[in-house]
């Protein structure tokens, strides 16, 4: 496993454990967290830890996949809040210090496929 | 750039060029393409080439980001169909032959942020 992949796994391990001090250790102080779908942004490690720490509900996550290279990485999560099941995709950008400087989060939702391609696909 | 990252870029370069023969060269014959959000699946290279080849509209793509490691990779696209702008995220799984054996595609859509976190984020 690459160093960045290991840092991404530690990011989610500490988050699931609500170990906010451990999580802070992999974050750059000036980090930025963005959700392009909602156009929301959180600036700085302190604000980010508050955002995750106050996230409502009895949520749990498991890491489905991590891909990482020299510059950054991506994780795919299975995320549950009570009975609700979500998929979370996070893009991580690292600095030369090995810390996370930027996270771009995406939460794709189910939708109905267009009718004009039913002859080209099967459903599962 | 890693070999897998180069293959992913070639995948999108040939797709944008409608160079279906070039695209076929990076695909395993038994490849599988899935869209988890709509629970659609396309089995096999021939069916996949038909799916992309028949995709309606005057669509164009530019690659925003590629992350790849030994096992696979991820791309993020800015995709347009006429005036419509979409973001596409694709997870690629490679075989030992260096070909693409599986693609998992995600198309996240904009949504309104939950009201209970407006005090924790800014909008952009």
């Amino acid at each position: 496993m690459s160093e960045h992949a290991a840092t991404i796994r530690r990011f989610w391990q500490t988050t699931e454990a609500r170990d906010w001090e451990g999580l802070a250790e992999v974050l750059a102080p000036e980090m930025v967290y963005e959700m392009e779908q909602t156009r929301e942004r959180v600036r700085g490690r302190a604000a980010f830890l508050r955002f995750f720490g106050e996230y409502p509900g009895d949520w749990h996550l498991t890491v489905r996949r991590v891909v990482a290279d020299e510059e950054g990485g991506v994780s795919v999560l299975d995320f549950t809040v009570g009975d609700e099941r979500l998929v979370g995709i996070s893009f991580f950008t690292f600095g030369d210090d090995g810390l996370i400087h930027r996270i771009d989060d995406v939460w794709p939702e189910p939708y109905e496929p267009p009718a004009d391609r039913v002859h080209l696909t099967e459903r599962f």
Side-chain angles (χ1 to χ4, degrees), chain A:
Chain A
M1 197 187 332
S2 77
E3 195 185 330
H4 288 161
T7 302
I8 291 169
R9 290 189 180 276
R10 179 157 172 73
F11 176 94
W12 289 121
Q13 189 180 45
T14 53
T15 297
E16 171 65 17
R18 280 65 167 167
D19 171 12
W20 308 123
E21 288 183 22
L23 178 57
E25 288 172 9
V26 300
L27 303 175
E30 70 280 16
M31 68 163 290
V32 174
Y33 174 73
E34 281 191 6
M35 288 169 283
E36 180 176 359
Q37 290 166 288
T38 56
R39 306 180 75 83
E40 289 172 294
R41 180 187 292 130
V42 180
R43 287 179 191 271
R45 181 170 58 195
F48 177 73
L49 291 168
R50 196 161 61 238
F51 180 79
F52 262 30
E54 293 190 16
Y55 200 88
D58 180 29
W59 52 266
H60 294 281
L61 63 91
T62 57
V63 177
R64 192 195 291 184
R65 185 171 182 166
V66 173
V67 182
D69 61 19
E70 293 71 28
E71 289 169 30
V74 187
S75 65
V76 183
L77 297 186
D78 289 299
F79 188 87
T80 60
V81 190
D83 290 339
E84 194 182 9
R85 302 171 71 82
L86 298 162
V87 175
I89 302 174
S90 307
F91 293 85
F92 296 86
T93 306
F94 287 82
D96 292 336
D97 52 13
L99 298 175
I100 295 164
H101 282 243
R102 185 182 168 92
I103 305 170
D104 289 275
D105 242 19
V106 169
W107 296 87
E109 303 237 331
Y111 63 92
E112 282 305 302
D116 60 7
R117 68 189 191 208
V118 291
H119 61 297
L120 298 169
T121 69
E122 62 182 62
R123 301 298 295 281
F124 62 90

